[in-house]
Amino acid sequence: MRIAVPDLVTNSYFPALAAVELGYFRAHGLDMELELISPIGRAMEALRDGDIELVAGPAHGALLAFPEWQGASLLAALSQHTYWLLVLRASLGIQPGDVSGVKGRRIGAAPGPDAALRCLLADAGIDLERDDVNLGPVPGASEPGVSFGVHAARALEEGVIDGFWANAMGAEVSVLSGIGVVVLDPRQGLGPPEAKDYTFPALVASDRLIADSPATAEAAILALVETQEALRADPSRASEVGSRLFPPDEAALIEDLIRRDIPFYSPVISPDSVAGLNRFARSVGLISGDAASGEIDFEQVVASRFSHLWAQ
């Protein structure tokens, strides 16, 4: 079996990486392999087409291949809340929380995550055209095997961009080098309040897999829950995973990043989280037609038949 992630050198989907590398999937009878498929839309298309069994990625990304939540469901949260950060060049002197610092800047963002930044800027009163914000992919980031966050940090250092929207790994690389400063972090209250609940990292399965093999879905959820518990109990285990998967510099950072993420490690997907997710999806055009009225049942988004496993 295979689980796809849109970024491999990252803390964002780390519980899924750790569930593979630390043997928690195997302990539940799943011979799971990691596969990097980027951007997130391609990963969800692979799920739709049956090329992979699971995706660990942003919850709203499922809508890129499963319109109106038809054909896929969220099994559990990898962690809570919107988890990308905006980093700007430190020499610009922009203070944390100052959204206006993006005006006139070149901002790198990967397809999929960029929707959250576009929505955040709109909620903060920024008009991309009026305020001359050049928001788009980072050159070279789409090459096979490239980690967007780490690549974006290097592009910032080289002056290719003025800032980037990416995971905490990319942000940490940039901040520690002295090149970048974190300006927006919705999960920590830096940005419009509503941005905190745009999306969250989730474990996604096709409805076909859930119907044909509910035991597989159950085993995957249990593996994830146990991995989150293991990392909460001993964050140093993150280094074990990082040493296998990450370049040396990033492997040295992962334990500290996971310690920061631990307060958000819960598999629970609440009705409020789904409501925020769907409001965001409507605002960026990922939900249309009759579903745009807001009448989307929790059960249409989440495989709630397995929700009792979140407490285990």
Side-chain angles (χ1 to χ4, degrees), residues 221-263:
I221 295 168
L222 288 172
L224 171 63
V225 170
E226 291 178 9
T227 303
Q228 289 172 324
E229 291 175 349
L231 291 171
R232 283 197 300 266
D234 184 5
S236 69
R237 300 200 69 186
S239 296
E240 181 182 344
V241 178
S243 65
R244 298 177 188 173
L245 298 178
F246 298 173
D249 288 348
E250 286 71 38
L253 300 176
I254 191 61
E255 181 180 336
D256 283 345
L257 292 179
I258 297 310
R259 288 184 185 278
R260 295 181 208 171
D261 282 355
I262 280 174

Side-chain angles (χ1 to χ4, degrees), residues 32-310:
M32 194 72 68
E33 296 181 1
L34 282 169
E35 181 158 345
L36 174 63
I37 304 180
S38 183
I40 186 59
R42 285 186 55 221
M44 292 300 178
E45 289 167 2
L47 183 69
R48 178 196 63 200
D49 297 341
D51 296 331
I52 57 171
E53 284 71 35
L54 298 168
V55 173
H60 72 278
L63 290 162
L64 297 171
F66 300 93
E68 320 301 339
W69 295 108
Q70 297 299 315
S73 297
L74 309 182
L75 296 181
L78 300 178
S79 64
Q80 303 292 308
H81 306 305
T82 304
Y83 51 98
W84 297 297
L85 303 84
L86 179 69
V87 174
L88 294 179
R89 187 182 309 282
S91 62
L92 296 174
I94 310 299
Q95 295 300 306
D98 184 2
V99 185
S100 68
V102 301
K103 293 180 178 180
R105 311 298 182 195
R106 299 162 297 168
I107 308 297
D114 69 330
L117 180 56
R118 292 176 189 276
C119 189
L120 184 157
L121 295 178
D123 284 344
I126 300 293
D127 181 282
L128 298 185
E129 185 173 350
R130 180 196 67 207
D131 294 318
D132 190 28
V133 181
N134 185 351
L135 175 59
V138 177
S142 61
E143 296 298 321
V146 171
S147 168
F148 180 85
V150 175
H151 180 77
R154 291 173 183 153
L156 182 66
E157 186 172 4
E158 294 167 1
V160 176
I161 53 177
D162 299 311
F164 62 86
W165 174 252
N167 60 53
M169 177 64 79
E172 191 77 353
V173 169
S174 185
V175 169
L176 289 177
S177 71
I179 299 297
V181 61
V182 174
V183 174
L184 298 176
D185 182 352
R187 199 164 63 172
Q188 300 290 354
L190 290 176
E194 56 269 35
K196 183 177 181 180
D197 289 314
Y198 287 163
T199 191
F200 53 90
L203 186 65
V204 187
S206 67
D207 289 345
R208 180 179 58 250
L209 180 143
I210 292 170
D212 293 347
S213 183
T216 297
E218 180 173 327
I221 295 168
L222 288 172
L224 171 63
V225 170
E226 291 178 9
T227 303
Q228 289 172 324
E229 291 175 349
L231 291 171
R232 283 197 300 266
D234 184 5
S236 69
R237 300 200 69 186
S239 296
E240 181 182 344
V241 178
S243 65
R244 298 177 188 173
L245 298 178
F246 298 173
D249 288 348
E250 286 71 38
L253 300 176
I254 191 61
E255 181 180 336
D256 283 345
L257 292 179
I258 297 310
R259 288 184 185 278
R260 295 181 208 171
D261 282 355
I262 280 174
F264 305 105
Y265 275 3
S266 168
V268 174
I269 302 175
S270 70
D272 285 346
S273 292
V274 170
L277 172 63
N278 283 325
R279 281 194 298 270
F280 163 68
R282 286 194 299 274
S283 73
V284 297
L286 288 175
I287 296 176
S288 60
D290 292 340
S293 67
E295 298 300 323
I296 300 177
D297 292 337
F298 181 80
E299 288 75 17
Q300 188 175 335
V301 178
V302 178
S304 58
R305 63 188 285 189
F306 303 112
S307 62
H308 63 284
L309 302 175
W310 300 337

